Amino acid sequence: MIKAQVRAKVDQCFALGVERGLWGDAAAGSYAVEEPKRAGQGDFATNLAMVVAGREKRNPREIAAALVELLTDAAGGDSLFAKVEVAGPGFVNCFLKPQVWQAVIPEIKRLGAGFGRGTCGRGRKVLVEFVSANPTGPLSVGHGRQAVLGDAIARLLEATGYAVTREYYYNDAGRQMRVLGESTRARYLELLGLPFTFPEDGYQGEYIREIARALIEERGDSLKDESDTAPFTKKAEEVIFADINNTLARLGIRFDSYYNEHSLYENGLVDDVVASLREKGLVYEQEGAVWFKTTDLGLEQDRVIIKSTGEPTYRLPDIAYHREKFRRGFDWMVNVFGSDHIATVPDVLAGVRALGYDEGKVTPVIHQFVTLMRDGQQVKMSTRKANFVTVEELLDEVGPDVTRFFFLMRKADSQLEFDLDLATKQSQENPVYYVQYAHARLCSIARQAAEKGVVAGDGAPDFSLLIEEEEMALLQAMAGLPSLLENAALALEPHRIVFYLQDLAAKFHGYYNRHRIVGDDPALSRARLALADALRQVLASSLVLIGVGAPESM
RNA sequence: GCCCUCGUAGCUCAGGGGAUAGAGCACAGGAUUCCUAAUCCUGGAGUCGCAGGUUCGAUUCCUGCCGGGGGCACCA
């Protein structure tokens, strides 16, 4: 990694300065090496001198000058640097020799799809829990965002050396499912022309009717006198789960495990949590309910964990579930969910802490809502009335690539406005096609070159011919993938990949329009072709990270 | 009332203790005898919500206020 090399050089010179008494070591670790935003400010810059000056009340530019001397001296003949200079209030700007950047091409060629991937996860086990929608209806666009976000986070972690498990947690018992069964029975009776009562808070979607219809086809009216809702619930769950999984499959999402809340009860793990908490004096009874004394754990109010009806609230199995995650040996647990569930976090973490586990290993990723825009108007959605837009419909309309890309265009914290007008555009300003087109264009160039008998691999391309401004910019952008990927993974922020792709595609399209890749000069053509091939690889690898296709032609 | 989150260009959003704050869309004009014009180039636009504080330096960190969203159930 080039940045790491520069960083190492700067660290080395900082230490050398300490050794020689040029400055103290108080600034160790608190200065930065970064890419300046502006052209002319070098490939990398460090604020070391300003940090030192701040601590020692000295003139930053003087310290910067001393640092420049060290960097140029210590560097010696085979230095990374072409030029190092003091700039602005005391920045030290480093200009790298072109060959340092040019060397990224053979590096990419050598590593192929592995370029950019890292090992900072060191094989640690991480559990990414997402979607976790109960099987009561089709996935809504909110679930869609979460599904895509969770999967992309999982991909980032895999690409940085973590052993990832994707898990879907669900509950197929309880009130919601009962209501689902009752709703299905009501539709069943309705379709048979029999008297029925639809539950007040029932599920009104058309999909319930379809399930009832399927039930009639299978079993006729044999269930008309059934007082138990179980057969209805069972059928509904079956159909809905199949539907959800089908939608997820269309998005390219596969789970490694489905964790059923019910199993926690069957194995006595829920009771066990209550017993453990009770032992620690964190549980008490009041008004027929069982309370968790979260105020003892620094929270504002105590919470009911078992209702007076004897049914646990969602908190209790959630705590038990999280304890199981720890027991299953995960080093890190990432929970992705919508901001409407934000309130559950502190209670569950308090439970985890109370049971003696390190809550620091649990990282919640909370995403804000999605609003759909069509014709400049917000599409009104209401789950209860079932006039919401499903992921399925979205996929029918714009396809999986656009769906995934758009859901990842914003950081999780931001509300996401999904512009259907833009998303359905088959051309021009649709950012998905913009990026994919760059990839397709590169493939096309390679095809054309092959026809003409020019191949990047012919002989050893002379990369020193790649000295155009646009070429340097592309090389630098490509070289930045490893650190970008690592940072995005650690921050659990896949949107950074989307911005990276758009930037890379823009740089390429600009380059393409200005310079001919396969031209009259064979040596230059080979070098540029090698650059194009590396770029194609980087685009493809980055697209894989967000689960979007890399078409070879469009 | 309390908690979380967001507030950056006309719109949608990146960025982030430092050097002239970015992109896309929208708008206006221009580019193709040549590797895909699903492309490129040029143009304008912002007191980075407001007010204090910390700092050599704040749009970035802290506090308060204002505004949008979400939450504060014996729903999940």
Side-chain angles (χ1 to χ4, degrees), chain A residues 421-439:
Chain A
D421 303 323
L422 181 61
T424 50
K425 279 186 184 157
Q426 281 294 310
S427 60
Q428 291 178 2
E429 58 277 12
N430 191 326
V432 187
Y433 301 131
Y434 182 83
V435 172
Q436 289 185 321
Y437 179 51
H439 183 270

Side-chain angles (χ1 to χ4, degrees), chain A residues 14 35 45 89 105 111 154 176 234 238 255 304 318 339 409 473:
Chain A
F14 173 73
E35 294 105 285
I105 296 175
L111 295 172
Q176 278 190 359
K234 185 167 170 290
E238 217 175 271
F255 281 89
V304 169
D318 262 16
S339 61
M409 279 202 301

Side-chain angles (χ1 to χ4, degrees), chain A residues 267-277 323-324 327 355:
Chain A
N267 301 326
L269 296 166
V270 173
D271 292 340
D272 187 57
V273 165
V274 180
S276 298
L277 293 176
R323 184 175 63 171
E324 287 319 295
R327 286 176 165 175
L355 292 169

Side-chain angles (χ1 to χ4, degrees), chain A residues 270-309:
Chain A
V270 173
D271 292 340
D272 187 57
V273 165
V274 180
S276 298
L277 293 176
R278 198 184 294 276
E279 236 168 72
K280 293 170 196 290
L282 290 166
V283 163
Y284 62 93
E285 269 83 24
Q286 189 181 310
E287 294 167 14
V290 179
W291 294 70
F292 179 21
K293 211 167 176 186
T294 28
T295 47
D296 270 15
L297 298 161
L299 301 187
E300 282 192 8
Q301 45 188 307
D302 291 343
R303 302 291 189 179
V304 169
I305 48 175
I306 301 176
K307 304 184 223 172
S308 51
T309 60

Side-chain angles (χ1 to χ4, degrees), chain A residues 15 96 166 197 216 248 333 384 404 427 430 462 489 491 514 534:
Chain A
L96 269 53
R166 292 169 172 79
T197 43
I216 290 172
L248 291 171
M333 287 140 270
R384 208 172 53 77
R404 289 193 65 120
S427 60
N430 191 326
D462 181 0
R514 218 179 176 94

Side-chain angles (χ1 to χ4, degrees), chain A residues 105-390:
Chain A
I105 296 175
E107 169 91 352
I108 292 168
K109 176 90 181 158
R110 188 169 65 80
L111 295 172
F115 175 77
R117 301 171 80 89
T119 54
C120 70
R122 292 195 209 90
R124 275 173 298 205
K125 287 176 69 181
V126 47
L127 182 75
V128 182
E129 183 209 331
F130 61 110
V131 184
S132 296
N134 288 339
T136 59
L139 295 180
S140 67
V141 290
H143 294 125
R145 180 178 193 187
Q146 184 173 147
V148 170
L149 178 64
D151 183 62
I153 285 173
R155 284 171 191 247
L156 285 178
L157 293 172
E158 281 167 343
T160 44
Y162 288 91
V164 177
T165 300
R166 292 169 172 79
E167 185 155 284
Y168 187 127
Y169 176 66
Y170 69 100
N171 177 19
D172 60 358
R175 203 190 65 87
Q176 278 190 359
M177 296 303 287
R178 214 163 46 235
V179 174
L180 177 69
E182 285 164 10
S183 306
T184 307
R185 177 168 57 189
R187 293 305 183 211
Y188 175 82
L189 295 172
E190 182 186 22
L191 286 169
L192 290 172
L194 298 165
F196 68 98
T197 43
F198 195 79
E200 198 171 321
D201 51 355
Y203 294 91
Q204 300 186 31
E206 184 56 30
Y207 63 95
I208 299 289
R209 275 202 183 79
E210 282 165 28
I211 293 164
R213 212 165 281 135
L215 215 40
I216 290 172
E217 261 170 48
E218 277 172 30
R219 311 181 55 168
D221 66 354
S222 64
L223 296 169
K224 69 180 188 306
D225 298 320
E226 182 66 60
S227 59
D228 188 1
T229 56
F232 298 97
T233 308
K234 185 167 170 290
K235 179 67 184 174
E237 177 187 346
E238 217 175 271
V239 171
I240 291 168
F241 240 135
D243 181 58
I244 287 174
N245 282 325
N246 181 51
T247 302
L248 291 171
R250 284 182 76 186
L251 282 169
I253 296 171
R254 225 199 72 257
F255 281 89
D256 300 301
S257 87
Y258 289 80
Y259 201 102
N260 189 341
E261 181 184 316
H262 194 59
S263 68
L264 294 165
Y265 293 97
E266 286 169 348
N267 301 326
L269 296 166
V270 173
D271 292 340
D272 187 57
V273 165
V274 180
S276 298
L277 293 176
R278 198 184 294 276
E279 236 168 72
K280 293 170 196 290
L282 290 166
V283 163
Y284 62 93
E285 269 83 24
Q286 189 181 310
E287 294 167 14
V290 179
W291 294 70
F292 179 21
K293 211 167 176 186
T294 28
T295 47
D296 270 15
L297 298 161
L299 301 187
E300 282 192 8
Q301 45 188 307
D302 291 343
R303 302 291 189 179
V304 169
I305 48 175
I306 301 176
K307 304 184 223 172
S308 51
T309 60
E311 279 180 302
T313 64
Y314 65 90
R315 288 183 194 92
L316 183 51
D318 262 16
I319 293 169
Y321 173 45
H322 278 80
R323 184 175 63 171
E324 287 319 295
K325 288 185 182 177
F326 277 97
R327 286 176 165 175
R328 288 157 69 196
F330 289 104
D331 301 302
W332 190 12
M333 287 140 270
V334 176
N335 297 354
V336 185
F337 45 63
S339 61
D340 54 334
H341 283 216
I342 199 166
T344 73
V345 177
D347 300 336
V348 172
L349 290 184
V352 164
R353 196 170 356 127
L355 292 169
Y357 294 95
D358 177 7
E359 64 183 297
K361 289 184 174 179
V362 179
T363 308
V365 174
I366 295 157
H367 70 267
Q368 297 291 325
F369 286 177
V370 176
T371 49
L372 283 176
M373 300 294 285
R374 191 193 294 282
D375 304 325
Q377 299 273 315
Q378 188 174 332
V379 180
K380 294 276 182 217
M381 289 185 281
S382 155
T383 311
R384 208 172 53 77
K385 296 200 173 127
N387 64 349
F388 58 93
V389 177
T390 63

Side-chain angles (χ1 to χ4, degrees), chain A residues 401 435-436 439-440 443 536 539-541 543-544 548-553:
Chain A
D401 285 346
V435 172
Q436 289 185 321
H439 183 270
C443 290
R536 187 205 55 73
L539 282 173
S541 304
L543 283 166
V544 165
V548 173
E552 294 186 3
S553 65

